[in-house]
Amino acid sequence: MRRRESGSRAVVLAAGATITGGLPVFLLGALFVQIQRDVPAPQWVLGAAVASYWGAAAVMSLLAGRLVSWSGIRSATLLGLVVGALSLAGAAFLVPSWAWLLVWAGVGGVSNGISHPAANQLINLRVRRGMLATAFGIKQSAIPFSAFLAGLAVPALALTLGWHWGFGLASLFALAVGVLFWWSVPRGELSRHRRGGSHVPLTPALMKYLLLMTSVTTLSAAATGAVTAYAVITGIERGLPLAWAGILLSVGGLLSVTVRVIVGRIADRANSKFALATVATMMCVGGVGVLLMAVDTQWTFVVGMLLALGIGWGWPGLTHFVVSRVAGPATPSATGIMQIGTYVGSGAGPLAFGLLYAAVPEVALWIIVGAVQIVAGYIAVVLARTTPPPVPVA
């Protein structure tokens, strides 16, 4: 009973840390129109700020594995939460010019880069093996849930009290999660001297496996990032009202939350190869959804967008589960490497789509995005047929 309670608490804390790491970028995108009224900024600043966030997250992710191993899960998680609170509070109270938006977005990216390796190792140590995939599905559901919360901040806070309140209350949330973590995890319990705390080097075979996995996450994150960034604009061009286009995006995000938890529970009853086969299937279905979005009718756009986001964005929990099963005690470092692909793809996809938007026909762009998602699924199929490397020895 104690282990079950410990595992449930670990999932809640990991999800809270993940939400904190995601809120800076999602709030920035959701509230940018209101921010521009107080802080004059050209449209490209939003793209630059998002790039700053994902760039900082990628760099920090590369270092986070050693940070977690050196300082311990407890200290690293608390550091990530404090940095996240600093990013959100800074965006709320210290933005004298648009340049500071880039600064606070970068600080938020650091929080994100720390949170995933630390949260994954917390789950890996606290959750029993038969529930690991479900736990990672719940934890990764925190990402689309962060986007959903950011969307709610517009009508609930930005249009009534002001955009500062959105960032301010989010910073209080981050601090609350930090206090809960500090209280729930006694000092020394997850220090570097305890189980899983020492640094475990990555073997050449594991590195090769992780690089292949990283190519999958890079391509799929690029495709999904383009959908989340430009689907609303495309929906409006298809004739959907602005409100309905926004609601459709929220529904797709919530559907992704549900899918991540369900496929995680199924994967717990199977193995890593089944999980990767499921990842490949979801990516291919998502790619088909994007191709439907390219068709110039409203109903194909609606169906395609729900497939692209609800199913095509349902893979992150399973990829984290597979990496934890393959890497074992090297999970923090392995997660950091895999997340680099997610961060690079999430930043590069929308950026490339935006740069090509005026030069390439929209239909052709969506076909390219769909093809990228299907290629990611094909690589996942190849990876599923590959024999996983042996788990490193602690």
Side-chain angles (χ1 to χ4, degrees):
M1 182 66 177
R2 180 181 302 175
R3 183 176 182 81
R4 184 179 303 162
E5 292 177 353
S6 175
S8 300
R9 187 179 301 141
V11 173
V12 171
L13 294 173
T18 304
I19 290 173
T20 297
L23 279 175
V25 70
F26 291 125
L27 280 174
L28 183 63
L31 303 177
F32 190 70
V33 174
Q34 284 76 28
I35 294 173
Q36 283 181 302
R37 296 173 182 174
D38 295 334
V39 184
Q43 292 290 348
W44 62 264
V45 168
L46 176 58
V50 171
S52 173
Y53 173 90
W54 292 116
V59 173
M60 192 65 235
S61 184
L62 185 62
L63 305 174
R66 287 189 175 274
L67 173 64
V68 174
S69 299
W70 176 76
S71 65
I73 298 172
R74 184 179 191 272
S75 298
T77 303
L78 289 173
L79 174 62
L81 289 167
V82 170
V83 172
L86 175 63
S87 167
L88 294 163
F93 302 112
L94 185 59
V95 188
S97 66
W98 61 259
W100 282 91
L101 294 174
L102 277 64
V103 172
W104 297 126
V107 174
V110 171
S111 172
N112 193 315
I114 296 173
S115 68
H116 282 287
N120 280 11
Q121 187 67 340
L122 175 64
I123 289 176
N124 204 34
L125 293 178
R126 287 287 185 85
V127 178
R128 60 186 176 89
R129 181 167 291 272
M131 289 294 293
L132 268 179
T134 303
F136 281 117
I138 294 172
K139 178 248 181 184
Q140 290 303 119
S141 295
I143 299 173
F145 190 71
S146 298
F148 176 71
L149 290 177
L152 288 182
V154 177
L157 297 172
L159 299 180
T160 54
L161 300 175
W163 62 269
H164 299 276
W165 281 83
F167 286 101
L169 290 178
S171 68
L172 292 179
F173 169 82
L175 291 175
V177 175
V179 170
L180 179 62
F181 194 97
W182 178 83
W183 176 77
S184 301
V185 182
R187 183 186 299 273
E189 184 176 341
L190 291 173
S191 70
R192 62 192 177 100
H193 301 295
R194 302 287 291 189
R195 46 194 281 243
S198 59
H199 176 67
V200 180
L202 301 175
T203 63
L206 179 56
M207 276 297 301
K208 182 179 179 180
Y209 190 88
L210 289 174
L211 290 177
L212 197 57
M213 178 71 82
T214 299
S215 67
V216 172
T217 60
T218 301
L219 293 173
S220 189
T224 304
V227 173
T228 56
Y230 291 95
V232 172
I233 296 176
T234 304
I236 295 171
E237 292 177 351
R238 294 284 194 276
L240 293 176
L242 174 59
W244 281 103
I247 291 173
L248 186 61
L249 181 63
S250 296
V251 170
L254 288 179
L255 182 58
S256 174
V257 170
T258 304
V259 168
R260 293 182 189 204
V261 177
I262 292 175
V263 296
R265 191 69 194 102
I266 295 174
D268 275 323
R269 303 178 183 273
N271 52 40
S272 298
K273 287 190 175 182
F274 172 83
L276 276 174
T278 304
V279 167
T281 301
M282 287 192 293
M283 289 180 176
C284 291
V285 171
V288 172
V290 177
L291 295 179
L292 285 175
M293 292 172 62
V295 180
D296 192 13
T297 61
Q298 290 186 8
W299 75 267
T300 53
F301 177 82
V302 171
V303 173
M305 185 174 171
L306 291 178
L307 290 176
L309 290 183
I311 298 178
W313 200 19
W315 52 264
L318 291 183
T319 55
H320 282 250
F321 164 68
V322 171
V323 166
S324 73
R325 289 286 296 271
V326 172
T331 293
S333 297
T335 299
I337 291 174
M338 184 187 67
Q339 280 298 110
I340 292 175
T342 302
Y343 297 144
V344 171
S346 297
L351 180 61
F353 195 100
L355 292 175
L356 295 173
Y357 194 79
V360 179
E362 181 188 287
V363 172
L365 272 180
W366 285 120
I367 291 175
I368 293 172
V369 172
V372 167
Q373 182 74 295
I374 292 174
V375 169
Y378 173 75
I379 299 175
V381 171
V382 174
L383 196 58
R385 295 177 177 176
T386 303
T387 301
V391 176
V393 179

